Each structure stands twice: as structure tokens, then as C-alpha cells.
Amino acid sequence: FKKAGKKTETRTEGGSLCIRIFSKKLTGFLSNLVSITKRPDSQRNIKSLVNYENWSPDFKIGFISGLLDSDGYVHYGKKGKHYGAVIKTNNPSLAKQIQEILFDLKVVAEIRIHEFQGTYPTDSLCYDIYIPSKEMWKFCHTLLSIKHSEHHQ
């Protein structure tokens, strides 16, 4: 982004590297893909995908790949074979939208709901979009995920 002439800031939050990009053009592009609604009772926002049914298959693969890297986990056995993946969210409608995108890619995933077990107390539920190993093999050769490619060449 810096090479493209955009102002950026980086900071570390816990174990994550956060990059802030100042770009009206990028913001405009993203606002056509994601709607953000302010919660009246919280500092957190509710995000919802816009027109995702019409995204191209390549864009959907890229989106799922990014989710695996940011909010997901790929399970591996001792021999390096993957045994499925999980994408986590606390937004039930976003979980359903992710499941529908996977279905459009011919990948069957289930949503598992459980209480959040994190570093702070909350009444929020956690929605895990679980992709079984058999389903991962259907599209893993097209994924652009770093977490996936680290163990799967």
C-alpha cells in the first residue's frame, strides 16, 4: 500500500499486526462489499456482506482464504495432512453468509454454536463455521490462505 502511495500506520495488538490504510478509493470499494451498522449498546459494529450472491467464484475463494488467515484455523495431523478448518465469528448472520458462500463453492460446512471462552467475560455466543476434511479437499488447491499453504504444498 505504501508503494501505491497510500498513507499507512502499523501497530501490534496482542499477537496480531494491524495495518491502517488511509484510502477513500479502498473504502469505497469495501463499502460495496460490506455494510457496517453501529450497535447502540456497544463499541463493536455489526458487519454484513452486501450482494455476496453475485461475487465471482475467484473473489469468493479469495474472501474465504482471507477469513481462514484472519479468523480461522486449519487443523493438521502429524503427517501434515489437514483435517478440516474453522472460521470463527460472533455474528450469526455473517456465519450464515459465509456458509452460503462455501455452499456456492460446492463446499458443505456446518455452523457450531457455543459460549465464547476468551480472555474477557461476555454473554456473546461464538459461531464456528466448520469445514470437514473431505470438504476442504474439494477446494484446497484453489485457496490463497497462508495458514493453509504452510502445511499443504
Side-chain angles (χ1 to χ4, degrees), residues 107-151:
V107 175
V108 178
E110 65 181 82
I111 298 173
R112 297 176 177 174
I113 304 168
H114 59 89
E115 289 183 11
F116 178 77
Q117 297 170 343
T119 56
Y120 55 91
T122 181
D123 292 332
S124 295
L125 293 175
C126 189
Y127 299 84
D128 294 352
I129 301 95
Y130 175 66
I131 308 166
S133 179
K134 179 178 146 189
E135 298 299 316
M136 279 292 288
W137 285 105
K138 288 181 181 179
F139 78 130
C140 70
H141 60 284
T142 60
L143 285 173
L144 305 169
S145 164
I146 293 169
K147 285 182 182 176
H148 177 262
S149 65
E150 283 178 344
H151 300 282

Side-chain angles (χ1 to χ4, degrees), residues 2 7 9 24 56 66 107 142 147:
K2 279 186 179 180
K7 180 182 171 196
E9 290 178 0
K24 288 181 184 179
S56 73
V107 175
T142 60
K147 285 182 182 176

Side-chain angles (χ1 to χ4, degrees), residues 4-22:
K6 299 299 172 193
K7 180 182 171 196
T8 62
E9 290 178 0
T10 58
R11 71 177 185 279
T12 304
E13 288 182 10
S16 299
L17 174 65
C18 297
I19 302 171
R20 187 172 178 188
I21 303 155
F22 300 86

Side-chain angles (χ1 to χ4, degrees), residues 9-143:
E9 290 178 0
T10 58
R11 71 177 185 279
T12 304
E13 288 182 10
S16 299
L17 174 65
C18 297
I19 302 171
R20 187 172 178 188
I21 303 155
F22 300 86
S23 171
K24 288 181 184 179
K25 204 171 192 179
L26 179 60
T27 301
F29 174 75
L30 293 175
S31 68
N32 289 322
L33 303 171
V34 179
S35 73
I36 299 172
T37 307
K38 299 249 183 228
R39 282 185 180 172
D41 59 339
S42 172
Q43 291 182 342
R44 300 184 73 97
N45 297 322
I46 299 171
K47 297 168 195 83
S48 182
L49 304 179
V50 175
N51 203 21
Y52 64 94
E53 303 89 350
N54 296 322
W55 293 357
S56 73
D58 286 343
F59 192 87
K60 289 177 182 181
I61 288 287
F63 181 76
I64 295 297
S65 297
L67 285 175
L68 281 171
D69 285 340
S70 62
D71 297 325
Y73 181 80
V74 180
H75 300 278
Y76 289 95
K78 292 180 182 172
K79 295 182 180 177
K81 290 186 177 182
H82 59 66
Y83 292 100
V86 176
I87 299 169
K88 295 179 174 285
T89 182
N90 67 349
N91 181 332
S93 62
L94 182 60
K96 188 70 179 152
Q97 290 174 327
I98 294 166
Q99 184 183 41
E100 289 172 11
I101 288 171
L102 288 164
F103 183 76
D104 288 346
L105 295 170
K106 311 287 188 258
V107 175
V108 178
E110 65 181 82
I111 298 173
R112 297 176 177 174
I113 304 168
H114 59 89
E115 289 183 11
F116 178 77
Q117 297 170 343
T119 56
Y120 55 91
T122 181
D123 292 332
S124 295
L125 293 175
C126 189
Y127 299 84
D128 294 352
I129 301 95
Y130 175 66
I131 308 166
S133 179
K134 179 178 146 189
E135 298 299 316
M136 279 292 288
W137 285 105
K138 288 181 181 179
F139 78 130
C140 70
H141 60 284
T142 60
L143 285 173

